[in-house]
């Protein structure tokens, strides 16, 4: 049985908690989670141990999330890229494969664009950073300027597992097919002190008058890191055409569309995610 371990690292003076599992001699694989109410164990909880049978898996709680420090800071994508870059160095990972979902995909891509020699393979799941259009247009722009709605939603999630499950309908294709563990992981995370602060800051920093501020599309032509783009067919957060377009521009990339899946592939289709990553990342 593969055992996950809790570790900590100090990155730029901040405590970063991370989960690790697998043989230290196996190829390293870094997993980066998304935003809103998330952490390493939330998005990656169902795939961490299966992947650790083949890789040395390292999954940090990003700054402001999970058990990591939550300093007063501007949690832009650049901030997360800075922390992830230093984290990889601090933990001593030599050219790991890096997989990221949503916001974590944007951080993974930002790391590879900044230092392609540090990343062996790149796996982007429903990734941020590949387009500017807002899913709900002016509503998303309005919500980015005020945090009350997010605070109220988290308050309701803390009080009700049922509300928590219903809320996941925004990112999954069918909430009834989610495992109890997936719902419980989000519900538990919603009760953690300081949850939501980093996401509200991220949204305020990343949403501008013309849409999302970070769009790496025009820089993809020069990225020679082998890249797999995996996207849920029914993702309403970021459209799958973002990933298709990116795969066409990247020198060495492939695109996979997951059916019966929206924005949260590692929890909606965990077996498929494990199979796809195992088939793409050398062991």
């Amino acid at each position: 049985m593969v055992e996950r371990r809790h570790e900590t690292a100090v990155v730029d003076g901040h405590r970063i908690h991370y989960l690790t599992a697998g043989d230290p001699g196996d190829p390293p694989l870094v997993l980066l989670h998304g935003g809103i109410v998330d952490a390493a164990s939330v998005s990656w909880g169902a795939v961490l141990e299966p992947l650790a049978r083949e890789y040395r898996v390292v999954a940090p709680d990003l700054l402001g999330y999970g058990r990591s420090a939550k300093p007063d800071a501007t949690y832009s994508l650049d901030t997360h890229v800075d922390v992830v870059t230093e984290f990889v160095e601090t933990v001593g990972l030599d050219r790991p494969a890096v997989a990221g979902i949503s916001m974590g995909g944007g951080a993974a891509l930002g790391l590879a664009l900044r230092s392609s020699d540090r990343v062996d393979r790149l796996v982007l799941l429903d990734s941020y950073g590949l387009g500017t259009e807002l899913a709900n247009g002016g509503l998303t722009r309005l919500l980015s300027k005020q945090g009350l709605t997010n605070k109220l939603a988290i308050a309701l999630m803390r009080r009700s597992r049922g509300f928590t499950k219903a809320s996941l309908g925004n990112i999954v294709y069918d909430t009834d097919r989610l495992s109890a563990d997936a719902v419980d992981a989000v519900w538990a995370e919603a009760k953690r002190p300081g949850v939501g602060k980093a996401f509200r800051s991220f949204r305020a920093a990343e949403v501008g008058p013309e849409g999302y501020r970070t769009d790496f599309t025009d820089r993809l032509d020069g990225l020679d890191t082998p890249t797999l783009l995996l996207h849920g067919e029914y993702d309403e957060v970021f459209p799958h055409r973002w990933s298709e377009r990116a795969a066409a521009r990247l020198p060495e990339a492939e695109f996979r569309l997951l059916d019966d899946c929206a924005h949260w592939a590692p929890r909606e289709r965990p077996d498929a995610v494990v199979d796809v990553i195992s088939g793409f990342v050398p062991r």
Side-chain angles (χ1 to χ4, degrees):
M1 182 177 178
V2 177
E3 178 186 2
R4 67 171 70 177
R5 300 175 297 279
H6 294 266
E7 306 284 353
T8 60
V10 177
V11 176
D12 195 24
H14 301 301
R15 178 182 181 274
I16 298 296
H17 167 266
Y18 63 99
L19 297 172
T20 185
D23 189 327
D26 285 341
L29 171 63
V30 176
L31 305 177
L32 303 179
H33 65 76
I36 312 182
V37 178
D38 208 350
S41 61
V42 177
S43 273
W44 300 108
V47 302
L48 194 148
E49 277 87 358
L51 288 171
R53 299 187 187 111
E54 301 174 344
Y55 308 100
R56 177 195 175 191
V57 176
V58 178
D61 291 342
L62 297 176
L63 188 70
Y65 290 84
R67 302 186 188 185
S68 290
K70 298 175 177 64
D72 291 328
T74 298
Y75 289 89
S76 65
L77 189 69
D78 277 345
T79 298
H80 291 302
V81 174
D82 289 343
V83 173
V84 169
T85 301
E86 188 169 338
F87 172 80
V88 168
E89 289 186 0
T90 300
V91 178
L93 302 176
D94 183 24
R95 285 184 56 79
V98 182
I101 182 168
S102 193
M103 181 187 75
L109 179 55
L111 168 64
L113 286 168
R114 183 180 296 184
S115 311
S116 62
D117 58 328
R118 297 181 181 179
V119 179
D120 181 66
R121 292 287 191 281
L122 192 61
V123 182
L124 305 178
L125 299 90
D126 302 270
S127 183
Y128 177 67
L130 298 176
T132 60
E133 59 266 38
L134 304 174
N136 294 302
L139 178 60
T140 299
R141 190 176 296 107
L142 176 64
L143 292 175
S144 73
K145 303 308 175 186
Q146 57 86 19
L148 180 60
T149 304
N150 177 259
K151 290 178 181 178
L152 288 174
I154 290 174
L156 290 171
M157 291 170 73
R158 287 172 175 160
R159 293 171 63 90
S160 169
R161 184 183 185 277
F163 182 83
T164 298
K165 182 177 179 179
S167 297
L168 294 173
N170 294 319
I171 62 169
V172 304
Y173 179 59
D174 184 354
T175 56
D176 289 336
R177 291 174 53 184
L178 277 179
S179 68
D181 179 70
V183 178
D184 289 341
V186 178
W187 192 30
E189 197 61 35
K191 300 174 185 177
R192 193 178 298 280
V195 70
K197 170 183 173 182
F199 173 70
R200 291 189 294 272
S201 175
F202 174 84
R203 189 167 58 181
E206 292 292 325
V207 176
E210 305 302 320
Y212 291 116
R213 287 193 168 99
T214 299
D215 180 7
F216 293 126
T217 303
D218 290 342
R219 299 177 56 192
L220 299 179
D221 306 74
L223 180 63
D224 58 4
T225 303
T227 303
L228 171 67
L229 298 106
L230 189 64
H231 216 113
E233 180 181 5
Y234 299 102
D235 188 353
E236 295 183 354
V237 180
F238 306 136
H240 59 74
R241 65 176 176 273
W242 283 13
S243 290
E244 292 180 86
R245 180 177 61 198
R249 296 196 66 158
L250 285 159
E252 190 173 348
E254 60 180 283
F255 168 74
R256 300 277 189 91
L257 188 66
L258 274 182
D259 57 9
D260 296 331
C261 185
H263 188 67
W264 208 23
R267 283 295 190 174
E268 295 183 85
R269 300 285 309 279
D271 292 344
V273 168
V274 171
D275 288 346
V276 169
I277 290 178
S278 297
F280 180 73
V281 177
R283 305 190 289 281

